[in-house]
Amino acid sequence: MYRILPVLLAFGLLAPLHAQPTRVLFIGNSYTGVNNLPEMTRQLALSLGDTLAVASSSPGGYTFQQHSTNAATQGLIDQGNWDFVVLQEQSQLPSFPPSQVASDCLPYAQALVDSIRAHSPCAEPVFYMTWGRQNGDAQNCASWPPVCTYEGMQQQLRQSYLQMSEDNSAACAPAGMAWKRVRAEYPAINLYSSDGSHPTVAGTYLVACTMYSTFFGTSTVGASFISSLDAGTAATLQMVASSVVLDSIDTWNIGVNDPVALPEHEDQGNGNVFFSENSVNATAHSWDLGDGSTSMETSFTHTYTANGTYTVTYVAMDDCGRTDTNTFAVNLSTTGISDLPNERFSLSDQAGVLVLHHANRAGLLELFDLQGRKLAMRAIPAGHQTVLPLPDATVLLWRFQERDGHGDTGVLALPR
């Protein structure tokens, strides 16, 4: 989901751009308004070198249903040109029984997302997962026992917010999960106000760090803005929020709409190589073929005129300027071109597990389904063979990227 606007002068795609602020709209209630989460997020981002322009609609106690007909909220949505729109439901409603969530929450979440995309086609909706009450929801405990404890309420919130994210092809900012980790590992940090519900400054700062890492896909560790917190507390909250987001980006549906660059190439002999792409969510393509030649075609044949190893860089881009890059090598010898990555990398299904053969090379393996949704991401240590669990899919798109930028991609059909 990370919006990256590179200056691809080598490919002639973009002219230099003046840096533009990232525009973020927050839609919620007092969990957004207390301690001014939008402004805290803006100041945090600024201290990390990113400029946000923020706006919000956060009347106390508001639900998605109320926002869907609120003139102020709709007016902000109608302005358009948002990069991210954060959506926070009333603090208890997503923890209620699934049937009630299905009738009172999900349709209005979808209505808001549809309106956002109608006015800001490139906006990324982000569902703001909130936290359970400090001692559970005493108000609704008798009628719905799962919310009688903090842990039970948090689990219900997690389930509902992830469902909203998946149903709407949107990201989830897992503030509630960061909250849970702080409670478990750093209980001396008080995240709750005296009502056991609303956030302290520390709680809002934790959410701001979660938002930043969700928006930009990078850590907040080392941010100089710490609000009114002491440096040690701020550093802990930065670390927790960033790790919760970045260690599980697939779980939080982050990047679900991003392009996935999946180039393919075939040695046709006599210096001729056929290049094509099997990318996801891509509407534009750029190839740097390593010998000074470039292309913007989806498929073509290129002839290399000299022996050598050529580093090819392929960039997939969507209509919103989001990109993904894949770099690999082809080796031209006197007998023609052989695909160097295929000599060093392969993925196979063996007796119900995945086996990656990678010739003692370390790197990052990513697995995708045919819709481009990332199923898994694993750092692979150096070694001739790595065994992985078999994902629940019939066809896998995979990419292995070495630390030096070389790598390979492929497609694997799995027996079911």
Side-chain angles (χ1 to χ4, degrees):
M1 85 139 41
Y2 319 127
R3 184 164 284 103
I4 304 171
L5 297 176
V7 182
L8 298 175
L9 295 178
F11 304 138
L13 285 181
L14 296 174
L17 299 173
H18 296 292
Q20 297 293 324
T22 298
R23 289 171 46 82
V24 184
L25 172 61
F26 290 79
I27 295 173
N29 47 60
S30 58
Y31 275 29
T32 294
V34 167
N35 303 315
N36 200 342
L37 172 63
E39 175 61 15
M40 191 176 291
T41 305
R42 187 192 72 81
Q43 293 189 54
L44 176 73
L46 189 62
S47 76
L48 290 163
D50 293 292
T51 303
L52 300 187
V54 299
S56 66
S57 177
S58 54
Y62 249 51
T63 64
F64 284 163
Q65 181 176 7
Q66 290 172 301
H67 275 298
S68 69
T69 58
N70 179 268
T73 301
Q74 289 301 315
L76 288 168
I77 292 174
D78 292 351
Q79 287 182 16
N81 199 32
W82 299 107
D83 295 301
F84 298 97
V85 180
V86 177
L87 297 167
Q88 180 242 316
E89 178 61 284
Q90 192 272 343
S91 61
Q92 296 159 292
L93 180 52
S95 70
F96 288 172
S99 59
Q100 187 172 353
V101 173
S103 62
D104 296 350
C105 176
L106 301 187
Y108 305 103
Q110 180 179 341
L112 288 169
V113 169
D114 289 347
S115 181
I116 289 162
R117 287 179 168 148
H119 293 90
S120 301
C122 291
E124 288 288 352
V126 177
F127 284 95
Y128 164 11
M129 182 199 297
T130 55
W131 50 89
R133 299 284 170 88
Q134 189 169 18
N135 299 303
D137 185 355
Q139 181 181 355
N140 294 288
C141 172
S143 59
W144 180 233
V147 300
C148 291
T149 64
Y150 159 77
E151 289 79 10
M153 185 177 182
Q154 186 63 69
Q155 179 59 31
Q156 295 299 126
L157 290 168
R158 182 184 191 276
Q159 177 178 316
S160 293
Y161 273 104
L162 288 181
Q163 181 176 356
M164 286 185 274
S165 298
E166 292 165 4
D167 288 351
N168 294 283
S169 295
C172 179
M177 290 297 99
W179 203 280
K180 182 178 181 180
R181 182 170 165 190
V182 170
R183 280 183 55 132
E185 299 180 15
Y186 305 95
I189 299 177
N190 181 25
L191 303 176
Y192 291 94
S193 294
S194 58
D195 64 0
S197 171
H198 289 86
T200 60
V201 170
T204 300
Y205 187 82
L206 178 65
V207 178
C209 291
T210 305
M211 291 297 169
Y212 179 89
S213 289
T214 301
F215 297 159
F216 295 104
T218 57
S219 174
T220 59
V221 171
S224 60
F225 173 74
I226 62 173
S227 187
S228 59
L229 304 174
D230 64 86
T233 297
T236 297
L237 298 177
Q238 293 169 7
M239 180 275 294
V240 170
S242 299
S243 63
V244 167
V245 173
L246 302 178
D247 288 352
S248 303
I249 58 173
D250 304 329
T251 299
W252 316 131
N253 224 31
I254 294 171
V256 63
N257 300 308
D258 287 356
V260 180
L262 295 171
E264 299 177 348
H265 58 288
E266 178 185 353
D267 177 11
Q268 296 183 327
N270 299 318
N272 296 311
V273 179
F274 178 71
F275 292 96
S276 61
E277 56 80 28
N278 192 33
S279 300
V280 178
N281 297 333
T283 57
H285 315 271
S286 294
W287 303 80
D288 181 337
L289 300 174
D291 64 348
S293 302
T294 61
S295 177
M296 297 175 63
E297 301 296 323
T298 58
S299 61
F300 57 95
T301 298
H302 179 68
T303 301
Y304 290 93
T305 60
N307 293 343
T309 298
Y310 296 89
T311 299
V312 177
T313 300
Y314 165 70
V315 180
M317 180 181 294
D318 69 7
D319 290 335
C320 297
R322 292 172 290 218
T323 67
D324 190 35
T325 301
N326 194 307
T327 301
F328 56 97
V330 294
N331 182 39
L332 178 64
S333 66
T334 55
T335 58
I337 297 175
S338 63
D339 293 344
L340 180 61
N342 288 333
E343 296 175 355
R344 299 194 293 183
F345 311 107
S346 66
L347 189 68
S348 62
D349 168 42
Q350 297 181 16
V353 297
L354 288 177
V355 179
L356 175 68
H357 307 274
H358 47 103
N360 205 30
R361 306 292 291 183
L364 182 69
L365 175 68
E366 296 171 283
L367 304 177
F368 306 88
D369 64 15
L370 286 177
Q371 286 71 49
R373 294 173 296 202
K374 189 178 293 184
L375 302 176
M377 180 172 65
R378 179 77 66 84
I380 304 297
H384 289 282
Q385 181 173 293
T386 298
V387 177
L388 302 170
L390 195 65
D392 184 17
T394 56
V395 179
L396 286 178
L397 307 176
W398 63 271
R399 173 169 62 192
F400 184 79
Q401 195 89 359
E402 292 185 59
R403 291 172 181 171
D404 62 4
H406 295 91
D408 198 15
T409 61
V411 180
L412 178 64
L414 301 176
R416 283 290 183 269

